[in-house]
Amino acid sequence: MILLVGGAIFLREEAQFDYLVALSDEVDCTQAVIAAMNSIEEDYTGLKKQLPKEEYQGISSEVVRQLLRSLNPEELKQADGDIFGRIYEYFLTQFADQGAHDGGEFFTPISLVQMIVNVIEPHKGKILDPACGSGGMFVQSAHFVDQQKKESHDALTFYGHEKNPTTTRLAKMNLRVHGLEGEVAGGSEAITYYNDPHDLVGDVDFVMANPPFNVDEVDASKIETDARLPFGLAGVNKGGKVSNGNYLWISYFYSYLNETGRAGFVMSSQSSSAGGAEAKVRQALIETGHVDLMIDIRSNFFYTRSVPCQLWFLNKGKPEAHKDKVLMIDARQVYRQVTRKIYDFSPEQLANLNSIVWLYRGESGRFIELVQSHIQKALDHAWLAFALEYEEEVVVEKGGSKEIKIVEYNPIFVSVELLQKIEKAITPFYKQQTAALQEDLKAFSDKVVLLSAESKTFEALVDQVTKQWGAGTFKTAKSLNKLIADGGKVAQLAERSRDFMAELESVCKASNGLFENAEKVLKAKKVKKSKLWDRVALLSGKESLKKRLERMRGDAVEQLKQVSYFHQQALWLLSRFPEAKLVDVAGLVRLVDQTELAANDWSLTPGRYVGVAAEEEEEGFDFAVSLREIHRELEGLNKEAVTLAEKIAQNFKGLGV
């Protein structure tokens, strides 16, 4: 039988993956997989007729066998956490990218789902998504509860509507893959405009949704007396259709909430300032005092459309002090570019935006903890680059067999050590070359010596800042500001990280240049006196010193980038909210009251209220560091130009010119 214990599903042996992947070549794998799905449907009625048995009928046994083996690598078996849940979400994303949109429907990007969940904080109770698609809102809600060290399958009950039969199956399977219970209504009875399959008006703790935008085919005569439209219809056209379905959805979300319920949903950007009958519905909604906050999102967050959107948040349990106010956040300048045409929020950007909501709710302690977390992560990455040892798996051959050996290393110090070994190995060859090439070697050697000394100096700085941080005296916004503002110890650490990263890159580039010149131009490997170019010394096992240096350099640079990145995240917060209190920030956030909303046609568009921010430098951009890098490159180019000029002069001389 299938039992739910701690969110896990226990299957019959013949339905378990290990059993299927171990089937002998004589067994028909296709029929075995279909039989496994039949057994699951028999034991769990919620998945009855939902698993894709028919799709497997035309696939050969050998193809299914290969698929099972492909899903059984050693790395997957050793992975922890909800690995299959993440795989499932990945394929849902691919499904969306191939065109899972129709009639204003879009697959909801996970960044937007996480933002909604973070703001409404669905900790316990009933959750409804009347346009649930594949169930992504449910899964992210469960993740939120799990992060609070609670059991999501005990704390939450999920309800959904999804008219598309295929997507309904995806939603039900998505819930099961994540070990969640829920009721998803499908087919014609799940068309929310005309039906309320779960009868939940006034009974839901949390509503989350990404409904279809701008639908204009809803029959007004069938819904004009619907109890879920407390503010009336938002306009009917000459054909008897509702002119735009956006405010139908907004009304539904509001009506489903209980007296303390919260809602968060994605909506077309045009809705927040729409005029006519829609403006009257919006005014009535605002006057209830239950519109909590609005967030503007830039374009290109959706996988299949470039449209901008907004996140709306309702809260029937708002404190009295906020009843006539709406928090406006313009997040259009906050984003991370994933691909050429897709954007999202990084985890840190999500947290930073959410911390503004914490300040709005008077939870300054959570804001302080987030700043502290950013600083701690900056220090953690500094130690990973300079002091902390971490593990590298190396295959070692012993007596014909192979075993895994754990090797500990410090990427910065190993990089310096490798540079010193390379310098020692190539010196004999370059000592036999022209004065100019000997000068190149000397310049490289000087850089290695300097880098070695600076690595120790930087390690001392990391140690100093860590001890100061470990004293535990940085608990207020003022004290944290001292650390991260210009001249502060963490600011110094971030600046030194960027400088050291540039210096390491420069030395490694010089090392590569000497290699390329020796082997490709000067044909060092063909030199008869082998001691001049010691290939043995330049190898480390089966890996050359050059390749190993590249790996170490990559590890070190990645950690150093993170030091600067997390310092920037802390700075982003405290430069805007220096006292850990909500204040108006031009171009980002403003708390607006109903008087001002009324004066602006009851518009709920954040950009209309927050103003325009002063132009900022690109995040992470450091002018001084960039200038030093340009100077280094210019020095190299000047040197190359001099060498080239000398060669040209010699050539002309040889021609008698």
Side-chain angles (χ1 to χ4, degrees), residues 100-117:
H101 53 86
D102 183 33
E105 301 170 16
F106 308 99
F107 181 88
T108 316
I110 194 167
S111 271
L112 301 188
V113 179
Q114 288 175 330
M115 176 66 79
I116 290 171
V117 170

Side-chain angles (χ1 to χ4, degrees), residues 547-563:
K547 286 185 178 179
R548 183 163 173 75
L549 174 62
E550 182 59 27
R551 289 198 299 112
M552 296 299 106
R553 181 207 61 80
D555 287 347
V557 166
E558 181 57 35
Q559 301 304 332
L560 292 172
K561 283 181 179 177
Q562 295 303 309
V563 176

Side-chain angles (χ1 to χ4, degrees), residues 45-165:
T45 56
L47 286 176
K48 194 72 175 176
K49 296 183 180 180
Q50 302 303 317
L51 301 182
K53 301 185 295 295
E54 296 80 6
E55 284 84 340
Y56 276 81
Q57 292 288 359
I59 304 176
S60 71
S61 174
E62 188 52 41
V63 170
V64 174
R65 191 186 315 282
Q66 186 58 46
L67 174 63
L68 290 170
R69 289 172 179 170
S70 298
L71 291 172
N72 194 45
E74 198 63 36
E75 296 84 354
L76 192 61
K77 288 187 273 188
Q78 294 176 359
D80 57 5
D82 181 21
I83 184 67
F84 282 102
R86 294 200 299 272
I87 291 171
Y88 189 76
E89 289 171 1
Y90 167 80
F91 281 111
L92 286 177
T93 301
Q94 298 307 303
F95 170 70
D97 199 38
Q98 292 173 23
H101 53 86
D102 183 33
E105 301 170 16
F106 308 99
F107 181 88
T108 316
I110 194 167
S111 271
L112 301 188
V113 179
Q114 288 175 330
M115 176 66 79
I116 290 171
V117 170
N118 289 347
V119 171
I120 70 173
E121 299 184 337
H123 55 282
K124 186 177 182 180
K126 296 178 181 177
I127 294 182
L128 171 67
D129 183 347
C132 71
S134 58
M137 299 280 187
F138 300 149
V139 173
Q140 290 304 317
S141 299
H143 288 338
F144 174 83
V145 173
D146 292 338
Q147 288 165 6
Q148 311 305 309
K149 309 302 181 185
K150 299 176 182 177
E151 296 290 347
S152 54
H153 62 281
D154 290 334
L156 303 172
T157 305
F158 301 100
Y159 297 90
H161 308 170
E162 175 49 53
K163 67 175 183 178
N164 186 302

Side-chain angles (χ1 to χ4, degrees), residues 293-296 327-331 353 356-357 588-589 606 610:
L293 62 129
M294 300 285 298
I295 302 179
D296 255 335
L327 183 69
M328 299 288 183
I329 299 176
D330 189 343
L353 289 171
I356 301 173
V357 181
L588 177 65
V589 61
V610 303

